[in-house]
Amino acid sequence: MKAFSRLAAAAVVSFAFFTGSVSAAGLFDNAGSGPRIFIGEVQSYGDYELKREAFDTFADKLYQSMRTKNFQVISRADMTNEAGRHDMGTSDEDAQLSLIHMDAIIHGHLFEHGEAAAKLVRYADAAMGRKYFYDDARIENWRKQSGVPYHLSPSVAQQAEQIAQDYGAQYLLFVNLKEVDVRLKHTMFASRTDRETRGKKVTAIVDYYLLNTSNGKVFEGHCENKKTAQLMNYAIVKNGKGMNVDEMLNQVMEAQVEDIVADLNKNGMKAVQ
């Protein structure tokens, strides 16, 4: 039933972003005076059913929000790396960025071996050994230290430093869209003509990873919204009570982006210094 529910939610997400800007902003570059950050990848290593349009929309919103906070933001046009996610015909840099992102996830405080995508599980077992993730006492103690910076595997850290140098950046940023679900009361499918706000349920769970390549420190940030009223109120203010599913999902993305950028300013940048 859970798998069917996630598939149904993915069916909604698959069409939900076509009405917005889905350009991923081309080759990002802006001349702010703040920290220079290369956005390495916006992807999901938890919900394989999310479609590319979701990542492109999120990337656009993240770039714009970071610019307003005066970050110098740079990245490639294909930073959502759909091909890398599905192991199809990637470039060397695609593969490196995916590797760095996965390495940051598996060393972090929130990694769930049993709930990760197959690609991430294979990497975790190869890099750390399967037994590593079944030491319950160690894992529980590590999770209690949420917010404490950590380091990548040495060889991966070297790759990250080289990529940062290639793009003239000191920091790398990766975003893992763990789960974005929209469901309707009494039904798990919605048409694009549906205008009812009442009865919708929203879940949005996102992790981000900020790497300071000058000292190798990684900060893992977590933004989670399961409170339907909170997200609904945010969206209703923007679009009114008659918003459709497309509009609501775009506003959910925007809410998550604002949470990430606020946390980046408040906690992330300080933690990796």
Side-chain angles (χ1 to χ4, degrees):
M1 185 65 184
K2 181 179 179 181
F4 179 76
S5 175
R6 288 173 68 83
L7 182 61
V12 176
V13 176
S14 66
F15 62 71
F17 298 91
F18 285 111
T19 58
S21 171
V22 188
S23 64
L27 179 63
F28 296 178
D29 199 352
N30 76 290
S33 60
R36 190 168 176 84
I37 299 178
F38 174 75
I39 303 178
E41 187 178 59
V42 175
Q43 199 46 263
S44 174
Y45 289 93
D47 190 346
Y48 248 36
E49 292 152 347
L50 288 174
K51 302 303 180 183
R52 182 175 188 133
E53 289 75 22
F55 304 111
D56 288 338
T57 299
F58 194 95
D60 282 341
K61 292 181 180 297
L62 179 64
Y63 171 64
Q64 294 299 333
S65 183
M66 291 182 70
R67 285 192 64 182
T68 64
K69 298 298 183 182
N70 210 33
F71 287 105
Q72 298 183 68
V73 190
I74 53 175
S75 186
R76 308 179 318 164
D78 58 348
M79 72 183 211
T80 56
N81 192 14
E82 185 76 1
R85 176 171 171 244
H86 294 292
D87 296 321
M88 298 184 304
T90 62
S91 69
D92 289 343
E93 191 169 84
D94 285 333
Q96 286 180 322
L97 289 170
S98 181
L99 184 75
I100 296 165
H101 194 174
M102 290 191 296
D103 203 70
I105 293 171
I106 67 171
H107 284 92
H109 303 273
L110 299 171
F111 176 59
E112 292 280 358
H113 187 276
E115 297 181 8
K119 180 180 178 181
L120 181 59
V121 170
R122 290 196 301 269
Y123 177 75
D125 289 346
M128 310 287 280
R130 190 173 180 82
K131 292 182 179 179
Y132 179 88
F133 300 105
Y134 289 88
D135 185 343
D136 294 338
R138 181 194 56 77
I139 290 174
E140 183 63 26
N141 181 59
W142 179 233
R143 286 177 178 163
K144 289 179 181 178
Q145 302 176 54
S146 178
V148 174
Y150 54 93
H151 292 80
L152 300 177
S153 301
S155 61
V156 177
Q158 291 177 359
Q159 294 180 51
E161 184 176 15
Q162 183 59 59
I163 289 176
Q165 290 176 358
D166 291 344
Y167 287 93
Q170 181 181 348
Y171 302 92
L172 299 183
L173 179 66
F174 297 86
V175 179
N176 180 23
L177 303 182
K178 272 187 176 177
E179 183 179 358
V180 179
D181 284 341
V182 174
R183 301 171 187 168
L184 303 184
K185 190 175 182 179
H186 305 310
T187 179
M188 287 174 285
F189 292 91
S191 71
R192 295 190 65 173
T193 59
D194 182 272
R195 305 294 297 186
E196 285 292 324
T197 301
R198 184 180 64 256
K200 290 188 175 74
K201 301 295 181 183
V202 180
T203 299
I205 305 174
V206 179
D207 295 332
Y208 78 85
Y209 302 87
L210 179 68
L211 167 64
N212 183 343
T213 59
S214 68
N215 59 23
K217 289 184 178 181
V218 181
F219 175 80
E220 177 186 47
H222 179 72
C223 299
E224 180 171 342
N225 283 309
K226 287 189 176 180
K227 297 179 180 178
T228 300
Q230 177 185 352
L231 286 175
M232 289 299 171
N233 289 338
Y234 181 93
I236 288 170
V237 167
K238 290 292 188 76
N239 291 291
K241 293 183 179 180
M243 64 184 172
N244 61 23
V245 175
D246 303 26
E247 293 163 345
M248 181 173 61
L249 282 170
N250 273 283
Q251 295 309 318
V252 169
M253 287 288 187
E254 189 167 320
Q256 291 301 90
V257 163
E258 291 188 5
D259 285 348
I260 286 177
V261 176
D263 191 60
L264 196 65
N265 261 326
K266 182 179 178 181
N267 300 308
M269 295 304 302
K270 294 177 183 178
V272 296
Q273 300 309 311

mmCIF file with all atom_site columns, all heavy atoms in Angstrom, residues 9 57 65-66 68 70 82 89 96 100 105 108 112 127-128 143 168 172 201 205 260 271:
data_model
loop_
_atom_site.group_PDB
_atom_site.id
_atom_site.type_symbol
_atom_site.label_atom_id
_atom_site.label_alt_id
_atom_site.label_comp_id
_atom_site.label_asym_id
_atom_site.label_entity_id
_atom_site.label_seq_id
_atom_site.pdbx_PDB_ins_code
_atom_site.Cartn_x
_atom_site.Cartn_y
_atom_site.Cartn_z
_atom_site.occupancy
_atom_site.B_iso_or_equiv
_atom_site.pdbx_formal_charge
_atom_site.auth_seq_id
_atom_site.auth_comp_id
_atom_site.auth_asym_id
_atom_site.auth_atom_id
_atom_site.pdbx_PDB_model_num
ATOM 1   N N   . ALA A 1 9   ? 1.471  9.505  -5.634  1.00 0.00 ? 9   ALA A N   1
ATOM 2   C CA  . ALA A 1 9   ? 1.964  10.864 -5.406  1.00 0.00 ? 9   ALA A CA  1
ATOM 3   C C   . ALA A 1 9   ? 2.897  11.293 -6.518  1.00 0.00 ? 9   ALA A C   1
ATOM 4   O O   . ALA A 1 9   ? 2.887  12.428 -6.981  1.00 0.00 ? 9   ALA A O   1
ATOM 5   C CB  . ALA A 1 9   ? 2.697  10.923 -4.067  1.00 0.00 ? 9   ALA A CB  1
ATOM 6   N N   . THR A 1 57  ? 12.600 22.964 -11.291 1.00 0.00 ? 57  THR A N   1
ATOM 7   C CA  . THR A 1 57  ? 11.856 24.031 -10.610 1.00 0.00 ? 57  THR A CA  1
ATOM 8   C C   . THR A 1 57  ? 12.521 24.397 -9.292  1.00 0.00 ? 57  THR A C   1
ATOM 9   O O   . THR A 1 57  ? 12.694 25.577 -8.967  1.00 0.00 ? 57  THR A O   1
ATOM 10  C CB  . THR A 1 57  ? 10.401 23.583 -10.354 1.00 0.00 ? 57  THR A CB  1
ATOM 11  O OG1 . THR A 1 57  ? 9.771  23.326 -11.606 1.00 0.00 ? 57  THR A OG1 1
ATOM 12  C CG2 . THR A 1 57  ? 9.612  24.658 -9.614  1.00 0.00 ? 57  THR A CG2 1
ATOM 13  N N   . SER A 1 65  ? 16.616 32.591 -4.760  1.00 0.00 ? 65  SER A N   1
ATOM 14  C CA  . SER A 1 65  ? 16.587 32.910 -3.335  1.00 0.00 ? 65  SER A CA  1
ATOM 15  C C   . SER A 1 65  ? 17.985 33.196 -2.798  1.00 0.00 ? 65  SER A C   1
ATOM 16  O O   . SER A 1 65  ? 18.187 34.124 -2.009  1.00 0.00 ? 65  SER A O   1
ATOM 17  C CB  . SER A 1 65  ? 15.956 31.758 -2.555  1.00 0.00 ? 65  SER A CB  1
ATOM 18  O OG  . SER A 1 65  ? 15.848 32.080 -1.181  1.00 0.00 ? 65  SER A OG  1
ATOM 19  N N   . MET A 1 66  ? 18.964 32.426 -3.242  1.00 0.00 ? 66  MET A N   1
ATOM 20  C CA  . MET A 1 66  ? 20.344 32.661 -2.796  1.00 0.00 ? 66  MET A CA  1
ATOM 21  C C   . MET A 1 66  ? 20.869 33.990 -3.315  1.00 0.00 ? 66  MET A C   1
ATOM 22  O O   . MET A 1 66  ? 21.613 34.687 -2.619  1.00 0.00 ? 66  MET A O   1
ATOM 23  C CB  . MET A 1 66  ? 21.242 31.503 -3.235  1.00 0.00 ? 66  MET A CB  1
ATOM 24  C CG  . MET A 1 66  ? 20.956 30.204 -2.497  1.00 0.00 ? 66  MET A CG  1
ATOM 25  S SD  . MET A 1 66  ? 22.058 28.838 -2.967  1.00 0.00 ? 66  MET A SD  1
ATOM 26  C CE  . MET A 1 66  ? 23.615 29.395 -2.239  1.00 0.00 ? 66  MET A CE  1
ATOM 27  N N   . THR A 1 68  ? 19.131 36.689 -3.762  1.00 0.00 ? 68  THR A N   1
ATOM 28  C CA  . THR A 1 68  ? 18.562 37.771 -2.952  1.00 0.00 ? 68  THR A CA  1
ATOM 29  C C   . THR A 1 68  ? 19.291 37.918 -1.626  1.00 0.00 ? 68  THR A C   1
ATOM 30  O O   . THR A 1 68  ? 19.241 38.985 -1.016  1.00 0.00 ? 68  THR A O   1
ATOM 31  C CB  . THR A 1 68  ? 17.061 37.540 -2.684  1.00 0.00 ? 68  THR A CB  1
ATOM 32  O OG1 . THR A 1 68  ? 16.889 36.357 -1.900  1.00 0.00 ? 68  THR A OG1 1
ATOM 33  C CG2 . THR A 1 68  ? 16.287 37.411 -3.986  1.00 0.00 ? 68  THR A CG2 1
ATOM 34  N N   . ASN A 1 70  ? 22.502 37.638 -1.434  1.00 0.00 ? 70  ASN A N   1
ATOM 35  C CA  . ASN A 1 70  ? 23.815 38.147 -1.820  1.00 0.00 ? 70  ASN A CA  1
ATOM 36  C C   . ASN A 1 70  ? 24.891 37.071 -1.936  1.00 0.00 ? 70  ASN A C   1
ATOM 37  O O   . ASN A 1 70  ? 26.079 37.378 -1.954  1.00 0.00 ? 70  ASN A O   1
ATOM 38  C CB  . ASN A 1 70  ? 24.290 39.233 -0.845  1.00 0.00 ? 70  ASN A CB  1
ATOM 39  C CG  . ASN A 1 70  ? 25.185 40.251 -1.534  1.00 0.00 ? 70  ASN A CG  1
ATOM 40  O OD1 . ASN A 1 70  ? 24.995 40.555 -2.715  1.00 0.00 ? 70  ASN A OD1 1
ATOM 41  N ND2 . ASN A 1 70  ? 26.160 40.769 -0.818  1.00 0.00 ? 70  ASN A ND2 1
ATOM 42  N N   . GLU A 1 82  ? 19.974 14.416 -14.181 1.00 0.00 ? 82  GLU A N   1
ATOM 43  C CA  . GLU A 1 82  ? 19.043 13.289 -14.312 1.00 0.00 ? 82  GLU A CA  1
ATOM 44  C C   . GLU A 1 82  ? 19.740 12.044 -14.847 1.00 0.00 ? 82  GLU A C   1
ATOM 45  O O   . GLU A 1 82  ? 19.472 10.928 -14.408 1.00 0.00 ? 82  GLU A O   1
ATOM 46  C CB  . GLU A 1 82  ? 17.884 13.677 -15.230 1.00 0.00 ? 82  GLU A CB  1
ATOM 47  C CG  . GLU A 1 82  ? 16.794 12.636 -15.336 1.00 0.00 ? 82  GLU A CG  1
ATOM 48  C CD  . GLU A 1 82  ? 15.899 12.593 -14.107 1.00 0.00 ? 82  GLU A CD  1
ATOM 49  O OE1 . GLU A 1 82  ? 16.115 13.380 -13.178 1.00 0.00 ? 82  GLU A OE1 1
ATOM 50  O OE2 . GLU A 1 82  ? 14.986 11.751 -14.085 1.00 0.00 ? 82  GLU A OE2 1
ATOM 51  N N   . GLY A 1 89  ? 24.995 7.163  -19.318 1.00 0.00 ? 89  GLY A N   1
ATOM 52  C CA  . GLY A 1 89  ? 25.844 8.025  -20.116 1.00 0.00 ? 89  GLY A CA  1
ATOM 53  C C   . GLY A 1 89  ? 26.298 9.315  -19.468 1.00 0.00 ? 89  GLY A C   1
ATOM 54  O O   . GLY A 1 89  ? 26.145 10.383 -20.041 1.00 0.00 ? 89  GLY A O   1
ATOM 55  N N   . GLN A 1 96  ? 31.384 12.464 -10.806 1.00 0.00 ? 96  GLN A N   1
ATOM 56  C CA  . GLN A 1 96  ? 32.077 12.980 -9.627  1.00 0.00 ? 96  GLN A CA  1
ATOM 57  C C   . GLN A 1 96  ? 31.111 13.719 -8.698  1.00 0.00 ? 96  GLN A C   1
ATOM 58  O O   . GLN A 1 96  ? 31.157 13.535 -7.478  1.00 0.00 ? 96  GLN A O   1
ATOM 59  C CB  . GLN A 1 96  ? 33.209 13.919 -10.057 1.00 0.00 ? 96  GLN A CB  1
ATOM 60  C CG  . GLN A 1 96  ? 34.413 13.202 -10.628 1.00 0.00 ? 96  GLN A CG  1
ATOM 61  C CD  . GLN A 1 96  ? 35.503 14.177 -11.036 1.00 0.00 ? 96  GLN A CD  1
ATOM 62  O OE1 . GLN A 1 96  ? 35.227 15.274 -11.556 1.00 0.00 ? 96  GLN A OE1 1
ATOM 63  N NE2 . GLN A 1 96  ? 36.749 13.808 -10.825 1.00 0.00 ? 96  GLN A NE2 1
ATOM 64  N N   . ILE A 1 100 ? 30.250 12.772 -4.867  1.00 0.00 ? 100 ILE A N   1
ATOM 65  C CA  . ILE A 1 100 ? 30.432 13.693 -3.740  1.00 0.00 ? 100 ILE A CA  1
ATOM 66  C C   . ILE A 1 100 ? 29.135 13.835 -2.948  1.00 0.00 ? 100 ILE A C   1
ATOM 67  O O   . ILE A 1 100 ? 29.139 13.806 -1.705  1.00 0.00 ? 100 ILE A O   1
ATOM 68  C CB  . ILE A 1 100 ? 30.909 15.071 -4.241  1.00 0.00 ? 100 ILE A CB  1
ATOM 69  C CG1 . ILE A 1 100 ? 32.279 14.956 -4.897  1.00 0.00 ? 100 ILE A CG1 1
ATOM 70  C CG2 . ILE A 1 100 ? 30.962 16.084 -3.089  1.00 0.00 ? 100 ILE A CG2 1
ATOM 71  C CD1 . ILE A 1 100 ? 32.669 16.163 -5.728  1.00 0.00 ? 100 ILE A CD1 1
ATOM 72  N N   . ILE A 1 105 ? 26.018 12.342 1.977   1.00 0.00 ? 105 ILE A N   1
ATOM 73  C CA  . ILE A 1 105 ? 24.809 11.767 2.575   1.00 0.00 ? 105 ILE A CA  1
ATOM 74  C C   . ILE A 1 105 ? 25.152 10.626 3.526   1.00 0.00 ? 105 ILE A C   1
ATOM 75  O O   . ILE A 1 105 ? 24.655 10.572 4.661   1.00 0.00 ? 105 ILE A O   1
ATOM 76  C CB  . ILE A 1 105 ? 23.844 11.266 1.477   1.00 0.00 ? 105 ILE A CB  1
ATOM 77  C CG1 . ILE A 1 105 ? 23.299 12.443 0.674   1.00 0.00 ? 105 ILE A CG1 1
ATOM 78  C CG2 . ILE A 1 105 ? 22.687 10.470 2.097   1.00 0.00 ? 105 ILE A CG2 1
ATOM 79  C CD1 . ILE A 1 105 ? 22.506 12.031 -0.558  1.00 0.00 ? 105 ILE A CD1 1
ATOM 80  N N   . GLY A 1 108 ? 26.584 11.602 6.817   1.00 0.00 ? 108 GLY A N   1
ATOM 81  C CA  . GLY A 1 108 ? 25.777 12.545 7.586   1.00 0.00 ? 108 GLY A CA  1
ATOM 82  C C   . GLY A 1 108 ? 25.012 11.907 8.732   1.00 0.00 ? 108 GLY A C   1
ATOM 83  O O   . GLY A 1 108 ? 25.040 10.698 8.951   1.00 0.00 ? 108 GLY A O   1
ATOM 84  N N   . GLU A 1 112 ? 19.526 7.044  6.162   1.00 0.00 ? 112 GLU A N   1
ATOM 85  C CA  . GLU A 1 112 ? 18.726 5.858  6.481   1.00 0.00 ? 112 GLU A CA  1
ATOM 86  C C   . GLU A 1 112 ? 19.024 4.783  5.433   1.00 0.00 ? 112 GLU A C   1
ATOM 87  O O   . GLU A 1 112 ? 18.545 4.863  4.310   1.00 0.00 ? 112 GLU A O   1
ATOM 88  C CB  . GLU A 1 112 ? 17.229 6.196  6.476   1.00 0.00 ? 112 GLU A CB  1
ATOM 89  C CG  . GLU A 1 112 ? 16.786 7.123  7.601   1.00 0.00 ? 112 GLU A CG  1
ATOM 90  C CD  . GLU A 1 112 ? 16.598 6.376  8.921   1.00 0.00 ? 112 GLU A CD  1
ATOM 91  O OE1 . GLU A 1 112 ? 16.779 5.138  8.935   1.00 0.00 ? 112 GLU A OE1 1
ATOM 92  O OE2 . GLU A 1 112 ? 16.283 7.040  9.917   1.00 0.00 ? 112 GLU A OE2 1
ATOM 93  N N   . ALA A 1 127 ? 31.526 1.826  0.157   1.00 0.00 ? 127 ALA A N   1
ATOM 94  C CA  . ALA A 1 127 ? 32.412 2.811  0.778   1.00 0.00 ? 127 ALA A CA  1
ATOM 95  C C   . ALA A 1 127 ? 32.635 2.557  2.269   1.00 0.00 ? 127 ALA A C   1
ATOM 96  O O   . ALA A 1 127 ? 33.739 2.777  2.783   1.00 0.00 ? 127 ALA A O   1
ATOM 97  C CB  . ALA A 1 127 ? 31.842 4.217  0.579   1.00 0.00 ? 127 ALA A CB  1
ATOM 98  N N   . MET A 1 128 ? 31.588 2.106  2.959   1.00 0.00 ? 128 MET A N   1
ATOM 99  C CA  . MET A 1 128 ? 31.655 2.000  4.415   1.00 0.00 ? 128 MET A CA  1
ATOM 100 C C   . MET A 1 128 ? 31.576 0.559  4.924   1.00 0.00 ? 128 MET A C   1
ATOM 101 O O   . MET A 1 128 ? 31.932 0.292  6.070   1.00 0.00 ? 128 MET A O   1
ATOM 102 C CB  . MET A 1 128 ? 30.506 2.801  5.045   1.00 0.00 ? 128 MET A CB  1
ATOM 103 C CG  . MET A 1 128 ? 30.374 4.212  4.535   1.00 0.00 ? 128 MET A CG  1
ATOM 104 S SD  . MET A 1 128 ? 31.660 5.311  5.126   1.00 0.00 ? 128 MET A SD  1
ATOM 105 C CE  . MET A 1 128 ? 31.040 5.699  6.759   1.00 0.00 ? 128 MET A CE  1
ATOM 106 N N   . ARG A 1 143 ? 23.443 10.502 15.445  1.00 0.00 ? 143 ARG A N   1
ATOM 107 C CA  . ARG A 1 143 ? 22.252 11.277 15.118  1.00 0.00 ? 143 ARG A CA  1
ATOM 108 C C   . ARG A 1 143 ? 21.948 12.325 16.182  1.00 0.00 ? 143 ARG A C   1
ATOM 109 O O   . ARG A 1 143 ? 21.381 13.378 15.884  1.00 0.00 ? 143 ARG A O   1
ATOM 110 C CB  . ARG A 1 143 ? 21.059 10.344 14.935  1.00 0.00 ? 143 ARG A CB  1
ATOM 111 C CG  . ARG A 1 143 ? 21.112 9.578  13.630  1.00 0.00 ? 143 ARG A CG  1
ATOM 112 C CD  . ARG A 1 143 ? 19.973 8.610  13.474  1.00 0.00 ? 143 ARG A CD  1
ATOM 113 N NE  . ARG A 1 143 ? 20.038 7.935  12.185  1.00 0.00 ? 143 ARG A NE  1
ATOM 114 C CZ  . ARG A 1 143 ? 19.397 6.827  11.893  1.00 0.00 ? 143 ARG A CZ  1
ATOM 115 N NH1 . ARG A 1 143 ? 18.631 6.242  12.806  1.00 0.00 ? 143 ARG A NH1 1
ATOM 116 N NH2 . ARG A 1 143 ? 19.500 6.287  10.698  1.00 0.00 ? 143 ARG A NH2 1
ATOM 117 N N   . GLY A 1 168 ? 36.124 28.263 -9.552  1.00 0.00 ? 168 GLY A N   1
ATOM 118 C CA  . GLY A 1 168 ? 36.469 29.457 -8.778  1.00 0.00 ? 168 GLY A CA  1
ATOM 119 C C   . GLY A 1 168 ? 35.644 29.625 -7.520  1.00 0.00 ? 168 GLY A C   1
ATOM 120 O O   . GLY A 1 168 ? 35.328 30.748 -7.111  1.00 0.00 ? 168 GLY A O   1
ATOM 121 N N   . LEU A 1 172 ? 30.851 24.064 -1.957  1.00 0.00 ? 172 LEU A N   1
ATOM 122 C CA  . LEU A 1 172 ? 29.964 23.266 -2.796  1.00 0.00 ? 172 LEU A CA  1
ATOM 123 C C   . LEU A 1 172 ? 28.669 23.018 -2.033  1.00 0.00 ? 172 LEU A C   1
ATOM 124 O O   . LEU A 1 172 ? 28.689 22.777 -0.825  1.00 0.00 ? 172 LEU A O   1
ATOM 125 C CB  . LEU A 1 172 ? 30.599 21.920 -3.151  1.00 0.00 ? 172 LEU A CB  1
ATOM 126 C CG  . LEU A 1 172 ? 31.909 21.930 -3.950  1.00 0.00 ? 172 LEU A CG  1
ATOM 127 C CD1 . LEU A 1 172 ? 32.341 20.499 -4.269  1.00 0.00 ? 172 LEU A CD1 1
ATOM 128 C CD2 . LEU A 1 172 ? 31.776 22.733 -5.224  1.00 0.00 ? 172 LEU A CD2 1
ATOM 129 N N   . LYS A 1 201 ? -3.140 16.882 1.396   1.00 0.00 ? 201 LYS A N   1
ATOM 130 C CA  . LYS A 1 201 ? -2.113 16.597 2.383   1.00 0.00 ? 201 LYS A CA  1
ATOM 131 C C   . LYS A 1 201 ? -0.743 16.776 1.727   1.00 0.00 ? 201 LYS A C   1
ATOM 132 O O   . LYS A 1 201 ? -0.509 16.270 0.627   1.00 0.00 ? 201 LYS A O   1
ATOM 133 C CB  . LYS A 1 201 ? -2.246 15.168 2.921   1.00 0.00 ? 201 LYS A CB  1
ATOM 134 C CG  . LYS A 1 201 ? -3.587 14.880 3.591   1.00 0.00 ? 201 LYS A CG  1
ATOM 135 C CD  . LYS A 1 201 ? -3.774 15.728 4.849   1.00 0.00 ? 201 LYS A CD  1
ATOM 136 C CE  . LYS A 1 201 ? -5.107 15.405 5.519   1.00 0.00 ? 201 LYS A CE  1
ATOM 137 N NZ  . LYS A 1 201 ? -5.340 16.262 6.711   1.00 0.00 ? 201 LYS A NZ  1
ATOM 138 N N   . ILE A 1 205 ? 10.264 16.960 2.476   1.00 0.00 ? 205 ILE A N   1
ATOM 139 C CA  . ILE A 1 205 ? 11.446 16.649 3.282   1.00 0.00 ? 205 ILE A CA  1
ATOM 140 C C   . ILE A 1 205 ? 12.681 16.829 2.408   1.00 0.00 ? 205 ILE A C   1
ATOM 141 O O   . ILE A 1 205 ? 12.814 16.175 1.366   1.00 0.00 ? 205 ILE A O   1
ATOM 142 C CB  . ILE A 1 205 ? 11.397 15.212 3.818   1.00 0.00 ? 205 ILE A CB  1
ATOM 143 C CG1 . ILE A 1 205 ? 10.101 14.970 4.608   1.00 0.00 ? 205 ILE A CG1 1
ATOM 144 C CG2 . ILE A 1 205 ? 12.612 14.929 4.706   1.00 0.00 ? 205 ILE A CG2 1
ATOM 145 C CD1 . ILE A 1 205 ? 9.906  13.540 5.040   1.00 0.00 ? 205 ILE A CD1 1
ATOM 146 N N   . ILE A 1 260 ? 15.817 26.529 3.421   1.00 0.00 ? 260 ILE A N   1
ATOM 147 C CA  . ILE A 1 260 ? 17.210 26.154 3.206   1.00 0.00 ? 260 ILE A CA  1
ATOM 148 C C   . ILE A 1 260 ? 18.116 27.373 3.248   1.00 0.00 ? 260 ILE A C   1
ATOM 149 O O   . ILE A 1 260 ? 19.151 27.380 3.926   1.00 0.00 ? 260 ILE A O   1
ATOM 150 C CB  . ILE A 1 260 ? 17.375 25.420 1.862   1.00 0.00 ? 260 ILE A CB  1
ATOM 151 C CG1 . ILE A 1 260 ? 16.829 24.000 1.966   1.00 0.00 ? 260 ILE A CG1 1
ATOM 152 C CG2 . ILE A 1 260 ? 18.846 25.369 1.442   1.00 0.00 ? 260 ILE A CG2 1
ATOM 153 C CD1 . ILE A 1 260 ? 16.883 23.237 0.663   1.00 0.00 ? 260 ILE A CD1 1
ATOM 154 N N   . ALA A 1 271 ? 28.984 26.854 10.558  1.00 0.00 ? 271 ALA A N   1
ATOM 155 C CA  . ALA A 1 271 ? 29.433 25.531 10.961  1.00 0.00 ? 271 ALA A CA  1
ATOM 156 C C   . ALA A 1 271 ? 30.671 25.065 10.220  1.00 0.00 ? 271 ALA A C   1
ATOM 157 O O   . ALA A 1 271 ? 31.477 24.305 10.764  1.00 0.00 ? 271 ALA A O   1
ATOM 158 C CB  . ALA A 1 271 ? 28.297 24.523 10.763  1.00 0.00 ? 271 ALA A CB  1
#
